[in-house]
Amino acid sequence: MPSTRPPLQNHAAIVTGASSGIGLAVAEALANAGDAVAVNYRSQPVPAEELVRRITDRGGRAIAVQADVSQEADVTRLFEEASAAFGRVDLLVSNSGVQKDAAVADMSLADWNTVIDVNLTGQFLCAREAVRRFRAQPAAGRPARSAGAIIAMSSVHEIIPWAGHINYAAAKGGVRMLTRSLAQEVAPDGIRVNAIAPGAIRTPINKEARDSEEALTKLLRLIPYGRIGEPEDVARAAVWLASDDADYVTGTTLFVDGGMSLYPEFRDNG
Ligand code: BGC
């Protein structure tokens, strides 16, 4: 008989950048799958606290934690608060990310640094803390087959070059190799490390690219599957990657992009 047990029952997760967009949808989906969730936010407490309330009203466990993932001390505190609240941490979804777009000649060092600090260094700081915690936790009482899992929110731009966004593409290219190298390093500890590469998902980060009819038509030309992705498309992939159903999956990137990374411009060309 199929089990009706929620796939992430008794798990505890940290989701960074969970006050909006993909992070919020992932945190909510994990909670619906039975996970206790630390909802991290940097500057928007209200949606984070509303999400926590929605989860706890349904009988789930959640806390909101303010932290800037590019700051070492903040990251340590984030993990301490999650583990104090839930007794353990089994999953990190390292999702925080920003864009500061400019043509290269106009890109300030500050905008280069901010994107690298949040999108790449933030991933390193969170992953390092997760590995330390996973290794220190006793094997007895583990809710999953793995000793812990990390999901890095990457982007199709971990492989697709993106003019006018070199800071963002450089950071995501870095996330790709961080994920693969770290997976190789910690697999012997029973820790799984994977990435999700979303394409154009309906979130505040790409609002401008969808704002007018003309922009939307242009964007849809890049998506063979013919629609913009929804945050829930990514959230469902995260629940699967976090669960024991993906226990033999490590060091890979799951593209959730409606085919954006399939070079659609080659369909009638080349
Ligand atoms: C970016 C979005 C963009 C999408 C596809 C994402 O990583 O954050 O702004 O729409 O990639 O290009």
Side-chain angles (χ1 to χ4, degrees), residues 99 155-157 162 168 199-200 205-206 260:
Q99 275 182 230
S155 161
V156 288
H157 299 295
W162 205 14
Y168 188 85
I205 210 168
N206 59 14
M260 190 179 234

Side-chain angles (χ1 to χ4, degrees), residues 149-236:
I150 296 173
I151 300 174
M153 203 54 71
S154 182
S155 161
V156 288
H157 299 295
E158 72 164 49
I159 55 164
I160 301 180
W162 205 14
H165 308 74
I166 60 167
N167 46 3
Y168 188 85
K172 295 299 186 181
V175 168
R176 177 177 176 84
M177 283 311 282
L178 185 157
T179 300
R180 292 159 63 83
S181 302
L182 181 61
Q184 191 191 59
E185 184 170 329
V186 301
D189 297 291
I191 299 170
R192 297 192 297 113
V193 187
N194 292 290
I196 295 177
I201 308 296
R202 196 184 309 279
T203 72
I205 210 168
N206 59 14
K207 194 169 171 300
E208 260 175 44
R210 296 178 282 108
D211 249 2
S212 65
E213 225 15 69
E214 198 191 338
L216 187 62
T217 308
K218 214 168 128 213
L219 182 59
L220 284 172
R221 256 186 251 139
L222 297 177
I223 311 170
Y225 203 57
R227 69 168 172 89
I228 305 292
E230 301 299 331
E232 292 70 26
D233 288 311
V234 180
R236 282 188 294 273

Side-chain angles (χ1 to χ4, degrees), residues 46-128:
V46 174
E49 276 151 17
E50 281 171 2
L51 172 59
V52 166
R53 205 163 320 119
R54 276 205 300 283
I55 295 170
T56 51
D57 282 354
R58 283 188 219 123
R61 291 187 301 159
I63 55 166
V65 186
Q66 193 284 330
D68 176 343
V69 296
S70 68
Q71 302 299 313
E72 194 170 21
D74 280 25
V75 171
T76 311
R77 184 174 47 75
L78 168 62
F79 277 77
E80 269 162 13
E81 289 188 26
S83 113
F86 306 136
R88 53 184 304 113
V89 178
D90 308 290
L91 170 68
L92 163 68
V93 182
S94 216
N95 165 80
S96 296
V98 292
Q99 275 182 230
K100 300 270 178 196
D101 310 327
V104 63
D106 304 320
M107 187 176 284
S108 67
L109 178 59
D111 283 355
W112 170 269
N113 282 338
T114 301
V115 171
I116 299 294
D117 286 353
V118 174
N119 296 15
L120 183 57
T121 307
Q123 294 264 4
F124 156 67
L125 290 172
C126 291
R128 185 181 66 174

